[in-house]
Each structure stands twice: as structure tokens, then as C-alpha cells.
Amino acid sequence: MITAALGVAAERYHWELVGPWVIPSIAFITGLALVWSPLDAASSREARRPDLVVGMFSRENGGRVAVGLVLAAFTMVWFSKWEFTDQPVLRMVIVWPGILLGVALLFAPWWMRLIRQVSVERLERVREFERAEIAAHLHDSVLQTLTLIRKSADDPKAVATLARAQERDLRSYLYQGRRSEAQSVATALGAAVAQVEDAQGIAIEVVSVGDAPTTKRLKAAVAAAKEATLNAAKHGTEPISVYAELTAATYEVFIRDSGPGFNPKRVPAGRLGIKESIVGRVARHGGTATVTSKVGSPTEVHLSMPLRGSGGKEES
């Protein structure tokens, strides 16, 4: 019927000069536009919801889709009967792939939207899982810590210790991808200083520049830095800071307190904390340790550890 109508129109308006493929092509393009239009309307109204059925099958949209399908079907039927060549094999090779391509174009946006919907739903499930994990972690750590803080409200030292421990736990949870103490000297130093903070109930600022796996030399430097930080916490005053920097050849750590200082030359011979645990430990691995202090002034301990030995080899 549609073909007869188009034939009558072509005869009446002298469309015989127009190629036989023009009108079916226009019909197919119009059909594509009508079939795709509900998707665009749904996207504009539900930009954050890629549902396939929301707003698509109202009376108006359903009519558009129906007309579009009819036009597309007419085009494909015409194309299957079009005798553009007298070679049957060539017609078969061209016609059926052409019809399949037309069907693919007709429903491609719907398929793509379905794929997008599945992707968004998967993302929502992942987010829901993450929210559940965060809620569980907050319940197991933060809420319990707050309960302990409430019970220890009359003990400022205990409250400060609990707060610092919880802060470190949250930072560790937020940055779960960070490396272990064996993989990172910065992590090892941070863990060592954290132990001093918990033991002495004070806050210590730690800054690390550069990072590398914790070799035997660096492990010794971290142990010496921990001892120096412990001395600063016991005998010095706040604020206390630890600054570490890793270069291509050396690992340096600076531990500084705010006083009251002491005279290193008057340290009793029996006090082996500085001599053995700091200076001696670093020296045994080829490094140096310098203690700078005087009465009434801040104390600074400078540790310098070469990354390689005298033979130029780096210890594992």
C-alpha cells in the first residue's frame, strides 16, 4: 500500500528523475529519528537515571516508536525486493548484511542504554558495599573509641592517647594502599614515632620527604631516630618534630625538641642511650649521628645514613 502510494506520488509529481533509493532512505532516517526520540526525551527528564522504561512508553512516545518501526520495516522490505542487479549471489551478499545493519542501527541506542544501565547498577552496588564497609569500620573503631573517651573524660592523657590512636587508624583506613614498613622507610619511621606518642602521651609532628624500601641501614636509622624521639619526649618539651629526607645517596633524620636542653659533655658514662642506641647504632652501619644542645636551648639530633657501603653496594 505504501509502495503504491509512493508510486502514484512519483508519477503525479514527476519524481521519475529521482533515484529509487532516495525515498526509502528518507523513510528509514525518519524511522530512526522516531524510534530514537523517546530515549532522548527520557534522558532529558531523567538525566541521573538510565532506566529503559521511565518515560518511554507514554501514548505519545509509543505512537512515535510504532510509526518509526513501520517506516523502518517498509524500507527493509523494499530493500530486500530492490532489483539493483541481476546477479542473485551479489544481491544476497548485499541485501542481508544491509538489513542486519539497518536493524542494528535501529536498536543500537536501546542496546547502549541497556549496557549503561547495567554499568550504573553495578556501580551502585559497589558504592553500597563501600558504604556498608565504612559504616562497619566506624562502628568497630570510631564509635568504640568515642565511648572510651567518654568514660575517660576525667583523664586528659588517656583521652589524648585514644584520640591520636584513632586518628592514625582513620588515616590508615583512608589510605589503605600505602606500603608496609618493609616496603617504605617513611611508613617505618611513622610507625616508630607513633609508638613513642602512645607511650609518652604527646603529639609529635613527622614529615618525610622521599621514600625507599627499608634496608638494614635504613632500619638502623629508624631505630636510632625512635630512641632520639623517645629521649626528646621524656626530657624535652613540646613541640617535638621529626623531619626525614631521602636523597640519592643519604637518608637524613632531624629530631628536634623545644628545650630545656643539656650539656652533652656532662652526660654520665653509664648513660648509654645516646652513646649506644643512637650514635653507636648508626656508626655500626656506616652513618653518623650528631647531638646539638646546650642548657636553656632546644636539642637537635641529626642522623645521616649513607644508602650504600664503602664498596658502593646497597644493603638489602
Side-chain angles (χ1 to χ4, degrees):
M1 181 177 179
I2 296 177
T3 305
L6 291 175
V8 172
E11 182 179 355
R12 179 175 180 180
Y13 295 103
H14 304 289
W15 288 357
E16 63 273 4
L17 299 178
V18 178
W21 52 269
V22 173
I23 295 177
S25 298
I26 295 174
F28 183 73
I29 293 173
T30 304
L32 284 181
L34 292 174
V35 172
W36 291 1
S37 60
L39 290 169
D40 296 334
S43 297
S44 62
R45 290 194 301 269
E46 302 286 345
R48 298 177 62 87
R49 297 180 56 189
D51 301 330
L52 285 174
V53 296
V54 175
M56 292 186 185
F57 293 110
S58 62
R59 179 176 300 178
E60 179 184 359
N61 290 335
R64 291 180 184 177
V65 173
V67 173
L69 291 175
V70 169
L71 289 174
F74 153 73
T75 305
M76 294 179 190
V77 171
W78 174 88
F79 184 65
S80 66
K81 296 180 178 180
W82 183 23
E83 297 182 357
F84 56 88
T85 180
D86 56 358
Q87 299 181 18
V89 177
L90 181 60
R91 288 188 72 253
M92 184 181 301
V93 170
I94 295 177
V95 168
W96 290 110
I99 293 176
L100 293 177
L101 178 61
V103 174
L105 286 174
L106 194 64
F107 296 103
W110 298 75
W111 295 336
M112 292 175 63
R113 196 169 184 84
L114 178 60
I115 294 173
R116 181 185 172 194
Q117 181 184 12
V118 172
S119 177
V120 170
E121 290 177 352
R122 184 183 300 112
L123 180 61
E124 287 297 325
R125 287 196 297 269
V126 171
R127 288 177 178 173
E128 185 64 29
F129 176 79
E130 291 177 347
R131 285 193 288 266
E133 286 291 309
I134 293 174
H137 182 80
L138 291 177
H139 176 271
D140 295 341
S141 60
V142 178
L143 295 180
Q144 293 183 8
T145 300
L146 291 176
T147 301
L148 293 175
I149 289 176
R150 186 180 61 207
K151 292 181 179 179
S152 306
D154 56 346
D155 187 351
K157 184 176 180 180
V159 170
T161 300
L162 289 169
R164 281 192 300 272
Q166 187 57 66
E167 179 186 3
R168 285 196 301 271
D169 178 75
L170 285 176
R171 290 182 184 277
S172 176
Y173 180 75
L174 291 175
Y175 304 102
Q176 295 182 39
R178 71 173 188 170
R179 292 178 288 180
S180 64
E181 295 182 27
Q183 297 171 324
S184 167
V185 66
T187 302
L189 180 64
V193 174
Q195 294 177 9
V196 176
E197 283 185 325
D198 291 341
Q200 300 301 316
I202 61 174
I204 302 172
E205 181 181 3
V206 183
V207 177
S208 293
V209 178
D211 204 359
T214 308
T215 62
K216 291 181 180 180
R217 291 174 179 273
L218 297 182
K219 187 176 181 179
V222 169
K226 178 181 178 181
E227 185 65 24
T229 306
L230 181 60
N231 287 342
K234 286 182 176 179
H235 308 296
T237 56
E238 299 182 63
I240 300 172
S241 63
V242 178
Y243 174 80
E245 182 174 359
L246 182 72
T247 64
T250 310
Y251 181 62
E252 294 185 292
V253 187
F254 300 84
I255 302 95
R256 182 182 177 88
D257 63 30
S258 299
F262 66 100
N263 186 348
K265 295 181 180 180
R266 294 187 176 182
V267 176
R271 301 287 295 275
L272 302 179
I274 295 178
K275 182 178 180 181
E276 292 297 331
S277 297
I278 300 176
V279 178
R281 175 178 279 142
V282 173
R284 286 191 293 271
H285 290 81
T288 59
T290 305
V291 180
T292 303
S293 182
K294 63 180 181 179
V295 178
S297 299
T299 299
E300 181 177 275
V301 179
H302 174 211
L303 309 177
S304 179
M305 180 68 73
L307 300 183
R308 295 171 177 80
S310 57
K313 295 183 178 180
E314 184 175 355
E315 294 183 2
S316 59

